[in-house]
Amino acid sequence: MRILNNEQITNGIGRRLLTNKFTKVILFIATLFSLVVLAVLMYRIMNQGLPKLNLDFLTKFASRRPANAGISGALVGSIWLMIVVVPFSMVIGVGTAIYLEEYAKKNWFTSFIQVNIQNLAGVPSIVFGLLGLTIFVRAMDLDRSILAAGLTMSLLVMPVIVVSAQEALKAVPRQLGEASYGLGATKWQTIKNIILPAAIPGILTGSILAISRAIGETAPLIVVGALAFVNFYPSSIMDSFTVIPIQIYNWTTRPQIEFQEVAAAGIIVLLVFLIIMNSIAIIIRNKFNKRY
Amino acid sequence: MTITINREFKLEDLMLDNSKNKDVVYDTKNLNLWYGEDQALKNINLKIYENEVTAIIGPSGCGKSTYLKTLNRMNELIPSVKTSGEIVYRGRNIFDKSYKAEELRTQVGMVFQKPNPFPKSIYENIVYGPKIHGIKDKKILDEIVEKSLRGAALWDEVKDRLKENAYGLSGGQQQRLCIARCLAIEPDVILMDEPTSALDPISTLKIEELMQSLKKDFTIIIVTHNMQQAARISDRTAFFLSGEVIEYNSTDKIFSTPENKKTEDYISGRFG
């Protein structure tokens, strides 16, 4: 005696396939939606900005006259900022991740820290700006410098780096570590030679995302005092500065219509800057990417 | 096949208990082990003899792997483990505060269930152990690589591609590479945790033959859930059940005239 009714099953197939198709269409539309928005955005920016984008724009400083306005001061400022943010956030972030994942005992205190780090990743960036203003600019007397801003930005992106680096370390197969310990290696030797190299692709992926956020971030830098008008190149990390997103923001608030075009050109520069940063990170990642 | 024939010839000598003239490598005294609240090993007393293959058999969850991992203190990697009792290795209790796990593990190598070479070249895999112990001389390292690979019967297969990634090797070759990696630190004892359970029969045979040649220079302790394997390769067998040693004797005794009913039931396949 069969329990299942074959006829019923056969009749149901058509409907199930229809549901399948319907779902596929819905999901495709969801994907299409973001693609269309991106395309419209790109079209508008390119349309407005490309005519302005030339060597002059890249080499000139900001100006009151839109025809003379350039992005060089902000571009160099952004590069300076990254010089502080990348090493600082990665060393401290990855270091924290290694400690929490490999060394720290699993108890209520470490899970408390863990939860707090995850919460920090969700704190609004302006709050980090106020923190930076209080600690780095005022208390440590770093003034409105690249260093103060860079440290603030590092704090902002660090939680994301810590969490993603922890995930990457966790994903390294346990057998690899065991093999190393089994040969008499110490914990640090095992981490340095086996676990970290295997985790680097994952760590970089998370760091790329985090640092990309720092490149486009505006709010905390306004608070710690990035300048809106810069007509010099910073010569050290103690100099004042501006960055591309602040420059763009500044241009978009101008009444002259020409400044909108200048802003669009600035956005293109920012996008290219992001793509270059990401490409470098992806190249490094692929170099280390070995299967295990 | 040759192994089985040899065994029959040697059966007579093996029947004699020759433990009295052999050095004890490991002397386990009243060992208890807990994972948190669960007791995994109960009052284990076991002597492991030099230049023998000692097999540990028993059903899943009987504590055989746990016992093996206690012998080189790998269990310490699990935070909730607690032990009591003693394991005396060459006259020294391995649980002594002054006995560093790293020191013990350079004397006691380990081969794992799944081949676990590092994602590095064959050469780098072998020299990893010597390098972490501070050997830098390229000449010495080269010598170690050849000696270890020969010892693991892998040299002829890989000598022309030492710089290639170890993941290009077959599963059986990878496992022999792991044995070679273990030989490179010139251990005294080799612990093997079901070393052939992930391998095909031909690779298994090669590793079994290898163990026979290795026992001249090393003491081997192997955990296996394959009773035929234990019977083929070991000199002495311990039968574990629910964290206790039920019977420990020469392999021939265990497999021909076991003293305990449970042992008999297990080896005749009535449970487990």
Side-chain angles (χ1 to χ4, degrees):
Chain A
M1 184 63 195
R2 288 175 54 87
I3 298 171
L4 299 174
N5 181 344
N6 241 358
E7 204 178 320
Q8 210 178 348
I9 291 172
T10 321
N11 290 342
I13 288 177
R15 227 195 56 202
R16 282 190 284 142
L17 285 175
L18 202 68
T19 314
N20 181 41
K21 219 168 226 164
F22 181 70
T23 317
K24 184 179 156 191
V25 171
I26 295 283
L27 296 177
F28 177 71
I29 290 171
T31 314
L32 202 63
F33 179 76
S34 36
L35 274 180
V36 167
V37 171
L38 184 68
V40 170
L41 200 69
M42 289 304 278
Y43 173 77
R44 217 182 110 75
I45 291 166
M46 292 296 170
N47 210 13
Q48 273 195 319
L50 274 184
K52 270 301 294 176
L53 195 64
N54 50 36
L55 200 63
D56 262 7
F57 181 71
L58 291 175
T59 51
K60 275 184 170 162
F61 287 109
S63 163
R64 278 183 294 117
R65 288 183 298 277
N68 284 346
I71 198 148
S72 77
L75 182 62
V76 172
S78 276
I79 293 171
W80 269 102
L81 191 69
M82 284 306 112
I83 290 174
V84 177
V85 171
V86 172
F88 197 78
S89 64
M90 285 199 56
V91 168
I92 305 239
V94 175
T96 308
I98 292 174
Y99 178 76
L100 287 176
E101 207 49 53
E102 305 289 335
Y103 282 99
K105 287 209 173 75
K106 303 275 175 279
N107 55 24
W108 70 269
F109 185 65
T110 45
S111 30
F112 176 73
I113 290 177
Q114 189 74 51
V115 169
N116 272 288
I117 288 173
Q118 272 156 6
N119 284 341
L120 274 183
V123 169
S125 56
I126 190 104
V127 177
F128 279 98
L130 291 170
L131 178 85
L133 181 69
T134 317
I135 296 179
F136 300 126
V137 178
R138 300 259 166 81
M140 288 171 69
D141 208 14
L142 294 177
D143 218 2
R144 305 179 152 202
S145 63
I146 294 172
L147 183 61
L151 293 178
T152 309
M153 285 301 225
S154 301
L155 286 186
L156 175 72
V157 299
M158 219 146 53
V160 181
I161 294 181
V162 173
V163 172
S164 60
Q166 273 186 289
E167 290 305 319
L169 290 169
K170 242 183 247 170
V172 177
R174 270 189 40 176
Q175 298 99 307
L176 289 184
E178 282 180 351
S180 175
Y181 290 124
L183 291 163
T186 61
K187 202 162 229 180
W188 173 237
Q189 285 176 318
T190 303
I191 293 168
K192 185 182 66 167
N193 297 316
I194 304 298
I195 296 176
L196 207 49
I200 275 185
I203 291 175
L204 282 180
T205 310
S207 306
I208 293 166
L209 289 172
I211 288 165
S212 298
R213 187 178 164 201
I215 296 172
E217 195 63 65
T218 325
L221 293 183
I222 293 176
V223 180
V224 294
L227 303 175
F229 189 89
V230 166
N231 55 0
F232 57 89
Y233 291 127
S235 58
S236 82
I237 53 172
M238 297 316 291
D239 271 357
S240 52
F241 69 104
T242 193
V243 290
I244 303 173
I246 288 184
Q247 186 68 72
I248 293 168
Y249 173 71
N250 182 254
W251 281 331
T252 55
T253 55
R254 297 293 185 94
Q256 298 99 313
I257 189 78
E258 292 91 340
F259 268 117
Q260 303 307 315
E261 289 164 16
V262 177
I267 291 171
I268 297 173
V269 172
L270 179 63
L271 289 176
V272 172
F273 191 74
L274 268 172
I275 291 170
I276 291 173
M277 288 275 301
N278 285 3
S279 310
I280 292 171
I282 289 167
I283 290 166
I284 299 172
R285 187 177 80 193
N286 289 347
K287 216 171 113 68
F288 279 97
N289 215 349
K290 291 177 192 154
R291 74 200 170 87
Y292 45 76
Chain B
M1 283 303 110
T2 45
I3 301 168
T4 347
I5 294 161
N6 282 345
R7 171 152 297 287
E8 276 165 22
F9 280 123
K10 280 166 34 187
L11 203 62
E12 208 69 357
D13 332 85
L14 283 167
M15 290 295 270
L16 303 165
D17 189 10
N18 53 3
S19 59
K20 286 195 180 65
N21 345 326
K22 287 208 168 167
D23 277 351
V24 175
V25 178
Y26 271 114
D27 192 356
T28 306
K29 295 172 186 167
N30 306 322
L31 176 72
N32 288 286
L33 184 142
W34 293 265
Y35 289 118
E37 298 295 309
D38 301 324
Q39 186 162 10
L41 295 177
K42 294 167 195 160
N43 203 28
I44 307 280
N45 286 285
L46 214 62
K47 282 189 170 72
I48 308 273
Y49 296 94
E50 196 172 37
N51 298 113
E52 282 192 357
V53 176
T54 304
I56 302 174
I57 60 169
S60 301
C62 68
K64 55 190 192 301
S65 280
T66 300
Y67 176 65
L68 193 77
K69 285 182 179 160
T70 311
L71 293 176
N72 68 344
R73 286 172 58 185
M74 284 296 269
N75 271 338
E76 285 173 13
L77 298 178
I78 306 162
S80 66
V81 165
K82 280 192 290 285
T83 52
S84 76
E86 278 186 12
I87 297 180
V88 178
Y89 166 69
R90 300 266 185 210
R92 241 175 114 189
N93 182 4
I94 64 167
F95 298 126
D96 268 355
K97 277 251 155 57
S98 64
Y99 210 149
K100 299 281 172 255
E102 286 79 10
E103 187 189 344
L104 176 68
R105 290 178 196 147
T106 61
Q107 294 300 311
V108 183
M110 188 159 204
V111 177
F112 298 83
Q113 189 167 354
K114 234 178 91 190
N116 59 352
F118 300 127
K120 297 171 185 276
S121 69
I122 294 168
Y123 184 92
E124 283 298 325
N125 263 279
I126 306 286
V127 299
Y128 182 78
K131 266 188 174 170
I132 57 173
H133 296 121
I135 295 164
K136 293 198 185 83
D137 190 333
K138 179 93 173 55
K139 253 195 198 142
I140 296 176
L141 292 174
D142 286 348
E143 203 179 316
I144 290 173
V145 168
E146 181 169 349
K147 190 183 164 208
S148 309
L149 286 170
R150 280 190 193 283
L154 194 59
W155 175 252
D156 292 329
E157 289 162 62
V158 302
K159 64 181 174 205
D160 300 321
R161 45 180 180 142
L162 293 175
K163 297 290 170 203
E164 282 173 35
N165 196 298
Y167 284 106
L169 299 174
S170 74
Q173 287 173 324
Q174 286 187 14
Q175 193 63 305
R176 276 181 285 148
L177 177 67
C178 292
I179 294 175
R181 180 176 66 188
C182 175
L183 298 182
I185 56 168
E186 302 189 331
D188 173 30
V189 181
I190 301 175
L191 308 176
M192 296 187 172
D193 188 2
E194 299 183 21
T196 62
S197 64
L199 303 182
D200 62 89
I202 293 171
S203 306
T204 300
L205 183 70
K206 277 192 181 156
I207 295 209
E208 288 181 5
E209 283 174 342
L210 182 57
M211 284 161 72
Q212 292 304 314
S213 69
L214 287 175
K215 79 171 188 185
K216 283 188 223 76
D217 301 309
F218 306 94
T219 304
I220 298 175
I221 306 167
I222 176 175
V223 161
T224 175
H225 55 208
N226 179 339
M227 281 173 285
Q228 286 75 33
Q229 183 170 61
R232 277 195 301 268
I233 59 171
S234 69
D235 303 298
R236 219 173 282 268
T237 299
F239 172 54
F240 274 54
L241 187 64
S242 317
E244 287 173 281
V245 181
I246 302 297
E247 193 166 347
Y248 180 45
N249 217 325
S250 79
T251 299
D252 297 290
K253 273 249 182 66
I254 291 265
F255 283 93
S256 57
T257 52
E259 280 164 18
N260 193 300
K261 181 79 171 58
K262 287 178 190 161
T263 315
E264 197 184 336
D265 285 351
Y266 182 70
I267 59 169
S268 57
R270 247 166 280 179
F271 76 94

